Amino acid sequence: GAGVSQSPSNKVTEKGKDVELRCDPISGHTALYWYRQSLGQGLEFLIYFQGNSAPDKSGLPSDRFSAERTGGSVSTLTIQRTQQEDSAVYLCASSSGGHGYTFGSGTRLTVV
Amino acid sequence: AQSVTQLGSHVSVSEGALVLLRCNYSSSVPPYLFWYVQYPNQGLQLLLKYTSAATLVKGINGFEAEFKKSETSFHLTKPSAHMSDAAEYFCAVSYTGANSKLTFGKGITLSVRP
């Protein structure tokens, strides 16, 4: 597609439920990143994919967080047993190997 | 480890005035440096990037930044602020090129007074 697409744009979930956040990167972009943006924490790196593998998942905050990428394209970030501190905007970005990424508009997750 | 410092959280300027947003980095190897802008309820948009070519980098919307190795700085400037420049601005650094994670500063909110 023309840009990085994320869905849903907003998600409200009850504490303890699982959520899945989706990212469609720009076609042909081999690198894909997930970041989390929350008040007081700024932008935190979560995980990086090169193709379907994740050589750097050092930013995942706990084992409740996981991500996968299939076909070198779509990625899903899953948060199990959501907690209120998981409330944030989750941003996805992709890159073709040039310098700098293209970001999606993000998914705003609210855990109530 | 690499890091980015953006002093202050908020800058307010009058329309037509100079915009100066400061960014200092810490990196043990030559860095790649970026400025991103985020408008309300939107993702981040790349303004400009330094990748070891010219030290004065021109970006979109009239912004530019100068890489100063001796000062470990990459400050963002615009000669004349416009109301539409009101947004949050993030400086970021990476080490080894594009497929390396970006480390972001905390961001600075720019307000423009009429």
Side-chain angles (χ1 to χ4, degrees), chain B residues 28-44:
Chain B
S28 58
V29 297
Y32 295 91
L33 293 158
F34 308 82
W35 275 100
Y36 282 87
V37 60
Q38 186 176 34
Y39 299 101
N41 299 314
Q42 295 187 26
L44 278 74

Side-chain angles (χ1 to χ4, degrees), chain A residues 31 33 35 37 98-99 101 104, chain B residues 36 38 49 98-102:
Chain A
Y33 306 79
Y35 284 80
Q37 185 176 25
H99 298 291
Y101 319 147
Chain B
Y36 282 87
Q38 186 176 34
K49 59 191 179 188
N99 289 345
S100 174
K101 64 185 178 186
L102 289 175

Side-chain angles (χ1 to χ4, degrees), chain A residues 30-33 45 47-58, chain B residues 99:
Chain A
T30 56
L32 186 147
Y33 306 79
F45 167 80
I47 188 169
Y48 152 57
F49 286 93
Q50 179 61 40
N52 291 336
S53 63
D56 189 348
K57 53 180 77 171
S58 62
Chain B
N99 289 345

Side-chain angles (χ1 to χ4, degrees), chain B residues 26-75:
Chain B
S26 171
S27 174
S28 58
V29 297
Y32 295 91
L33 293 158
F34 308 82
W35 275 100
Y36 282 87
V37 60
Q38 186 176 34
Y39 299 101
N41 299 314
Q42 295 187 26
L44 278 74
Q45 180 182 6
L46 181 65
L47 273 179
L48 49 79
K49 59 191 179 188
Y50 166 76
T51 57
S52 75
T55 57
L56 181 62
V57 181
K58 295 187 183 297
I60 61 172
N61 302 339
F63 285 93
E64 62 181 39
E66 186 172 9
F67 172 68
K68 291 187 176 180
K69 184 178 178 180
S70 61
E71 298 178 8
T72 61
S73 69
F74 191 58
H75 302 331

